[in-house]
Amino acid sequence: MTTSDTPVEARDSEVVQRDRVVIRFAGDSGDGMQLTGDRFTSETANFGNDLSTLPNFPAEIRAPAGTLPGVSSFQLHFANYDILTPGDRPDVLVAMNPAALKANIKDLPHGGVLIVNTDEFTKRNLTKVGYESNPLEDDSLEPYAVHGVAMATLTRGALEETGLSKKDAERAKNMFALGLLSWMYHRPSESTERFLREKFAKKPEIAEANVLAFKAGHAYGETTEAFAVTYEVAPARLDPGTYRQITGNAALAYGIIAAGRTTSLPVFLGSYPITPASDILHELSRHKSFGVTTFQAEDEISGVGAALGASFGGSLGVTTTSGPGIALKAETVGLAVTLELPLLVIDVQRGGPSTGLPTKTEQADLLQALHGRNGEAPLPVIAPCTPGDCFSAAVEAAAIAVRYRTPVMLLSDGALANGSEPWKIPDVSELPTVDPGFATEPNAPDGSGEFWPYLRDTETLARPWAIPGTPGLEHRVGGLEKADGHGAISYDPDNHDRMVRLRQAKIDGIEVPDLVVDDPDAGPDNAGADLLVIGWGSTYGPINAAARRVRKLGHSVATAHLRHLNPMPANLGEVLRSYRTVLCPEMNLGQLALLLRGEHLVDVKSYTKVAGLPFGAEELQDVFLDYLTGTHPDASRNGSRTGTSNQITGAQA
Amino acid sequence: MTATDLGLPGIGSGGLDSVPTTDAKQTAKDYTSDQEVRWCPGCGDYAVLAAVRQFLPTLGIKRENTVFVSGIGCSSRFPYYLNTYGMHSIHGRAPTIATGLATTRPDLSVWVVTGDGDALSIGGNHLIHALRRNVNIKILLFNNRIYGLTKGQYSPTSEVGKVTKSTPMGSLDHPFNPISLALGAEASFVGRALDSDRKSLQAVLQAAAEHRGSALVEIFQDCPIFNDGSFDLLRKPDTKDQRIIPVTHGEPIRFGPADDNGLGTYAVVQNGFGLSVVEAATVDAGDIVTHDATDHELAFALSRLSDQDLNHTITGIFRNQPRHTYDDAARAQVQAARDAEPDADLQTLLNGHDTWTII
């Protein structure tokens, strides 16, 4: 949608075709904006658009009503083609009160559509957020296509017959807004009606009120002359398959359940509530029928301790948390490293340090994940790049944990956790399986009939996993250094040196696929672009969206995304050295860039932001262009191109 | 958020009910690992280890279904010396590991070995929550009232004014009474024994093993290097009879040198909300308290009879009152969910309610 689409006078609403639209719902924390956004998202998913969402809400459950800190918003980007980000700036802003207007209007481009709930624009509410005059009455909103709608009044009117109190009736105004927008964008509404009836099944009068409000919003758009134009965004032409909408946290929870199947192990989750990871605990606690046990521990340490105890007993131990929890679990994860037992540790990163920004996203736990333990305590680290990818990342992480008898760290983040997208549902029968291969027989090489718990597999260097209850394999493990092979306590200096190196070699030897580079202009033997942009985690969307934009402008840029942060792909160094300039955008102060520079002696450039929000595609486009056109101060100091790689593949779209 | 009737099955009867048994004759030697025991000469841990090695075979369960989990401290080396499954974990966290293990493996007899520093200082939080949840684990709390492994700092059970390496002018901390703490944390089984009294130690261990739920057994033992003679008052022939009060469920609480009827010279009677010790001859027999291990308030009052001074020290079982265990209930919920949805299908779960297909 562009700025020229401002509605014009017309009796019959005109239908305009759009490739893509970004809508932002903004209101008070208590206005139900997240629910409204979720419902619009579901309708959009049902319609078959590609979509990407960005919920953005305060850490306070109910900040004082009508204030700026209490503003909660939900942005949704949907399109008739595959999209990669929730969108930089909205085409349509729905503002339920003056605070929501004030907090969000700066993001609305001139000419954008602004739909305002006029009922909330009282003198008191305006004063609360520092408006000296009513922006609906002065000329400050002139650059926008403003639609003032008395949503509370209209909702109340629609619910007059229901006998609900004025206050209760007004609470349904978010559904009025949803109905209006659903009409405007030709969204199917059956699923919302069904959802409301299910959600309020125990309070049918509230369900009915919400459905009535939703229908009233729809009818308001249809019958009044206020909105001359409606928009259609055709379904997206995605890969063939069956799709659903999914958030990162839901995908992670399903991935954990699936991992129980693929590893043939019962799942045990030990977890302590923490934003933004709690929803994984909530989701898993609802799926005990899949043999999943969930344990809400007394603290983070207990969560991981119980998970490790379950692993010792032959379960797939899992713990879920965010950065502060990882800090607390560090010692136990170190124990798991030296015990060499499978354990899945999930970090849904949020703004830090300390309590930081609990509801905002960040990628600043990478170094903590890799190095945040005492001693040499290596473990594999894997990072999904989209909400749906959280599923396969969890399945893969569990497979590595079981195959190599090691804790694995999975790094999600707040943007992936709460963001959603269409997800091509995998065929369960095609998920790769791994045999836990419990030890059942004594293994001492001297034929003594003893069991040596640290006698390693020659290929993977994994040790045998003998679970209690197995006769003849009784053994003791612990945090003290163990003798190579035999596993008894050993303080021998050479043995310690050997064991430290063996543990490292085991992790270094984990098989990970080569890094795939998207470089459309690459030849069979040469890189096409001068600039390689490399990222990890949730920056996948904005980096690749920005790359598309830059390519549309006629420039050549390559992108690559690291899923495996430890060990990194074997061809990584070669890839990095194949490009004149390597740029690494991160939502931290350059943690991956530090690793790449340290490991590969390549002068990786860093672009960083820690604002609690994902990068915008436009923002990264400008950064890429600065490097491509040599206007970036760093662009001229780049390293020379030292080689090419036949590992480089063509576009992967 | 409302409470719901869990609708779970009744209390399991014995702590070892779901652990496989064996008819094979087992001995202390079977339970002895090939590792050389490395405690200091004279350490009370030796006595406890010998008692446990002798006691475990009497349970008649399979050795491979026995697991000892420990934290950090001298006593936490314990698992290395037993030929069972074992884990020497990290400081204070053994109850968490045991909780995950016991919840997922009802066929195991899970024991935690911990000390006063491990359980009551760094691991205090885990201890109280394990007791409150009533996970089917047995916690042996070796209390020597000192930090031994770090070479002699005061512990959370050291008496006020204790002069140690870190408290040259005397410690300021008021100590925990571990029994009172455990009872306050809703422990369903609480006992105490002296390391050197093998018979009563084994009797308490036996009852703990048979109890379904968390059991806390405080074991007094000496650190001959950093806190020698800490429990001498309970050991020396001239003082121990006046100070140790053995209790048995259903029997009047009498102790001390035997009178003409073979009963203890002293007795425990009610005094306000608490208890006090009197000469038995000075009160009516009916006023003497009869021990009831199902009486939470009595157990607490007994735990308050003495604090740091070991004036009157109860041994035996303070409380033995079964209730729902966390692990039984957690497994029952999983089973109930499976019964309610026997055809739970992963593909159906992944598909959810709303899908669309692109051809």
Side-chain angles (χ1 to χ4, degrees), chain A residues 45-46 48-49 194 236 238-245 254 257-258 261 268 287-299 301-302 305-306 309-310 312-313 315 331-332 335 339 391 422-423 425-428 466-471 473-480 486 488-489 491, chain B residues 33-35 38 63-67 69 72 77 79-91 93 96-101 103-105 107-108 122 125-127 129-130 132-133 326 330-331 333-335 337-338 341 344-359:
Chain A
N46 287 343
N49 292 128
R194 192 176 71 224
L238 301 175
D239 280 349
T242 299
Y243 287 78
R244 63 170 286 176
Q245 171 218 347
Y254 290 174
I257 296 170
R261 292 291 171 90
F268 179 91
H287 299 295
K288 294 187 169 68
S289 57
F290 288 91
V292 175
T293 303
T294 56
F295 169 63
Q296 182 178 314
E298 63 270 21
D299 60 24
I301 298 170
S302 173
F312 182 65
S315 289
E331 192 191 12
T332 311
L335 176 65
L339 293 184
F391 176 87
W423 178 49
I425 302 165
D427 183 339
V428 169
I467 62 170
T470 315
L473 306 193
E474 294 84 358
H475 66 282
R476 279 61 59 193
V477 293
L480 286 169
H486 183 279
I489 300 171
Y491 299 111
Chain B
S33 76
D34 62 356
Q35 296 297 295
R38 290 194 196 158
R63 183 160 52 90
E64 64 266 25
N65 289 75
T66 306
V67 184
V69 182
I72 292 292
R77 299 293 178 96
Y80 288 119
Y81 308 134
L82 288 173
N83 194 15
T84 63
Y85 281 88
M87 188 197 294
H88 178 214
S89 75
I90 47 176
H91 211 5
R93 318 302 175 201
T96 71
I97 289 162
T99 293
L101 185 60
T103 302
T104 51
R105 294 290 303 272
D107 59 326
L108 302 179
I122 193 166
N125 196 36
H126 307 309
L127 179 76
H129 288 280
R132 145 179 100 76
R133 287 195 188 97
Y326 175 84
R331 288 185 296 265
Q333 277 196 338
V334 170
Q335 192 54 49
R338 296 185 114 159
E341 212 184 330
D345 176 54
L346 183 57
Q347 192 70 59
T348 308
L349 174 72
L350 299 190
N351 291 348
H353 293 302
D354 297 315
T355 61
W356 69 98
T357 300
I358 292 172
I359 303 160

Side-chain angles (χ1 to χ4, degrees), chain B residues 47-70:
Chain B
V48 185
L49 178 63
V52 169
R53 280 173 174 170
Q54 196 181 52
F55 149 77
L56 285 174
T58 67
L59 293 176
I61 57 170
K62 290 188 171 172
R63 183 160 52 90
E64 64 266 25
N65 289 75
T66 306
V67 184
F68 275 74
V69 182
S70 64

Side-chain angles (χ1 to χ4, degrees), chain A residues 88 549 607-609 614-624:
Chain A
D88 294 0
R549 289 171 174 227
Y607 178 73
T608 62
K609 190 178 79 168
F615 287 118
E618 186 179 339
E619 171 188 13
L620 289 184
Q621 169 193 317
D622 291 346
V623 176
F624 297 180

Side-chain angles (χ1 to χ4, degrees), chain A residues 536-596:
Chain A
W536 69 280
S538 71
T539 54
Y540 172 82
I543 286 174
N544 286 284
R548 279 185 188 173
R549 289 171 174 227
V550 168
R551 287 169 189 156
K552 265 191 188 160
L553 296 172
H555 297 276
S556 185
V557 62
T559 60
H561 216 69
L562 278 172
R563 177 188 189 75
H564 301 95
L565 281 317
N566 195 37
M568 292 194 192
N571 68 331
L572 175 61
E574 202 180 348
V575 167
L576 294 176
R577 286 188 293 274
S578 302
Y579 290 86
R580 190 180 297 280
T581 305
V582 178
L583 173 66
C584 181
E586 288 180 90
M587 296 189 290
N588 58 47
L589 296 187
Q591 299 190 8
L592 177 61
L594 175 78
L595 294 168
L596 297 178

Side-chain angles (χ1 to χ4, degrees), chain B residues 97-175:
Chain B
I97 289 162
T99 293
L101 185 60
T103 302
T104 51
R105 294 290 303 272
D107 59 326
L108 302 179
S109 174
V110 180
W111 298 74
V112 169
V113 176
T114 182
D116 40 317
D118 193 57
L120 300 173
S121 201
I122 193 166
N125 196 36
H126 307 309
L127 179 76
I128 57 175
H129 288 280
L131 295 175
R132 145 179 100 76
R133 287 195 188 97
N134 202 32
V135 186
N136 192 18
I137 59 176
K138 317 302 157 198
I139 302 170
L140 309 185
L141 198 173
F142 290 39
N143 182 6
N144 60 8
R145 307 205 287 187
I146 198 78
Y147 281 83
L149 195 63
T150 49
K151 301 192 175 180
Q153 300 82 13
Y154 74 105
S155 90
T157 53
S158 294
E159 52 276 32
V160 172
K162 184 132 192 127
V163 175
T164 71
K165 274 190 188 149
S166 60
T167 51
M169 295 169 70
S171 70
L172 306 172
D173 299 26
H174 188 83

